[in-house]
Amino acid sequence: MINSNFYKKLGLDEDLLNAALTRFSEIKDVCEKQSRLLLRGKCKGVLKLDFISRLAVVLYSLPSVYLNYKEKGIDDKIFFDTFSDINIWCANAFDQYGEKGLENIHWITKHLSMKIFRIGRLQFEFSRFLILPHAGIKNIIRCPYRLGEKCITLHIPQGEKLDNDKCIDSLQRANEFFKKYYPSYKYRCYTVITWLLNPDFRTVLGEDSNIVKFANMFTLLGYVPDSDMNERRVFGYKKDRKNYSPENALQRYTLERINKGKPLLSYNGFVKKNLFNP
Ligand SMILES: CC(C)(COP(=O)(O)OP(=O)(O)OC[C@H]1O[C@@H](n2cnc3c(N)ncnc32)[C@H](O)[C@@H]1OP(=O)(O)O)[C@@H](O)C(=O)NCCC(=O)NCCS
């Protein structure tokens, strides 16, 4: 049986952890039922619960996910790194809504159903190749990957600098991870959809910035307006516009576009699977 040290390894705030563990003893039946669904990637029922109850169901589900990891032989380190994201999303929920617990259950369901893993600095998700609007016909023709083919989408968790060596290490380790634990999953590239690939950042931040070095690893393939997410990522989840006072070039750029009514964009990029292998 898993003891409370297991949950402590997630790095959750102690009061929050205790509140969620208390809630899960109060709503055990709900947790049991919803947990079975979460493990299969279904979170509709949990969306009806308040944030502490959502967190309770997630914590209740974790021992089963841990067993699934153990069955595959996946390292404890990958498990706890992957689920340290709960911490990040509880903090974002508190900033945005002032409520303790977990709001973004859609996202954490991907982790519970083993669709996403954190390997080093980055997260990796089983996915299909996408082409966003404005990709340009020449780029689409030149692109070596087909719309809808299997790929791995990567994500960039907040919480630490985007050190380029760590990103490359992550990509190399992801190759090994998927080869070892998911050998039948054949894919040829990694993709990403993020505001970090904005080509304007080359002049705004300079070539030495982590964000620009990260962006330089990818070939672009289209973009979409994504103002809300961009703004939250740069000014915080509260979106308290009257108190914005830009402290760096990135915030100045973002605020200037907001004030001019220009959309903030997210870009699609791809990189060949083995590009960074030694
Ligand atoms: C991705 C991330 C770690 C990059 O941070 P980084 O390693 O500091 O990036 P850079 O070195 O390129 O930063 C250049 C400058 O922009 C600032 N900056 C970077 N990201 C910032 C952010 N999200 N908000 C405000 N300022 C930021 C840095 O502090 C630095 O300022 P300085 O020149 O005054 O020191 C950071 O943006 C982040 O945590 N983002 C949240 C997660 C995210 O957006 N994921 C992608 C989701 S699609």
Side-chain angles (χ1 to χ4, degrees):
M1 189 56 207
I2 284 156
N3 58 35
S4 62
N5 279 337
F6 171 82
Y7 292 111
K8 282 189 185 144
K9 285 194 206 166
L10 298 172
L12 279 178
D13 166 87
E14 211 171 312
D15 288 346
L16 185 58
L17 176 61
N18 289 337
L21 293 179
T22 306
R23 180 62 57 86
F24 105 34
S25 59
E26 291 162 1
I27 57 162
K28 217 166 170 196
D29 289 351
V30 176
C31 287
E32 211 168 289
K33 181 175 170 204
Q34 294 305 329
S35 163
R36 277 198 299 274
L37 294 165
L38 286 184
L39 263 58
R40 288 170 22 220
K42 297 180 196 308
C43 65
K44 226 167 130 189
V46 181
L47 279 169
K48 295 181 189 142
L49 305 175
D50 64 17
F51 293 179
I52 279 287
S53 302
R54 292 181 194 192
L55 180 60
V57 180
V58 167
L59 295 186
Y60 183 93
S61 310
L62 281 183
S64 305
V65 185
Y66 183 74
L67 289 180
N68 292 341
Y69 268 61
K70 290 297 102 185
E71 244 170 51
K72 276 197 153 305
I74 301 173
D75 255 26
D76 274 16
K77 169 102 178 99
I78 303 273
F79 178 86
F80 287 105
D81 284 354
T82 298
F83 287 99
S84 65
D85 218 19
I86 295 174
N87 215 6
I88 290 178
W89 284 99
C90 285
N92 289 343
F94 190 74
D95 284 351
Q96 188 170 351
Y97 302 99
E99 189 177 330
K100 286 195 171 188
L102 181 67
E103 187 266 337
N104 198 349
I105 190 72
H106 273 297
W107 176 244
I108 298 296
T109 301
K110 294 181 186 218
H111 305 41
L112 295 169
S113 55
M114 294 174 74
K115 299 279 185 299
I116 282 189
F117 301 92
R118 180 162 182 172
I119 305 166
R121 179 65 186 90
L122 304 171
Q123 295 160 314
F124 297 86
E125 177 182 6
F126 293 112
S127 174
R128 298 279 176 172
F129 193 79
L130 268 182
I131 299 174
L132 288 188
H134 316 288
I137 192 72
K138 276 190 192 154
N139 292 331
I140 294 173
I141 292 167
R142 266 193 235 123
C143 175
Y145 309 110
R146 292 181 308 273
L147 185 68
E149 80 168 70
K150 283 181 184 166
C151 65
I152 300 285
T153 293
L154 59 89
H155 301 276
I156 308 100
Q158 70 203 56
E160 59 177 288
K161 301 283 285 179
L162 196 57
D163 181 88
N164 197 244
D165 290 342
K166 284 193 183 170
C167 293
I168 290 172
D169 176 67
S170 233
L171 283 162
Q172 289 169 342
R173 286 168 55 197
N175 286 345
E176 294 307 312
F177 176 90
F178 289 107
K179 192 169 149 192
K180 184 167 174 191
Y181 300 114
Y182 293 91
S184 62
Y185 190 83
K186 304 289 181 211
Y187 67 99
R188 300 191 291 157
C189 69
Y190 294 98
T191 64
V192 65
I193 297 179
T194 176
W195 63 279
L196 300 170
L197 300 195
N198 187 339
D200 286 354
F201 292 165
R202 293 204 177 104
T203 40
V204 173
L205 299 174
E207 293 288 337
D208 276 344
S209 96
N210 288 330
I211 290 176
V212 172
K213 283 186 197 155
F214 178 79
N216 285 343
M217 300 198 296
F218 299 91
T219 303
L220 288 188
L221 198 61
Y223 60 85
V224 281
D226 196 9
S227 297
D228 186 57
M229 180 52 82
N230 270 253
E231 187 174 339
R232 287 189 204 285
R233 289 302 196 178
V234 175
F235 284 104
Y237 272 71
K238 219 176 260 160
K239 263 185 89 177
D240 182 10
R241 278 195 189 168
K242 61 183 181 316
N243 285 323
Y244 288 173
S245 82
E247 284 170 3
N248 58 43
L250 180 61
Q251 291 190 331
R252 281 191 289 280
Y253 166 90
T254 306
L255 190 57
E256 198 181 310
R257 284 190 75 97
I258 292 170
N259 288 339
K260 286 184 176 162
K262 290 185 178 174
L264 295 158
L265 307 173
S266 281
Y267 298 77
N268 185 8
F270 64 82
V271 59
K272 193 175 164 206
K273 178 181 167 187
N274 291 319
L275 191 68
F276 297 107
N277 269 29

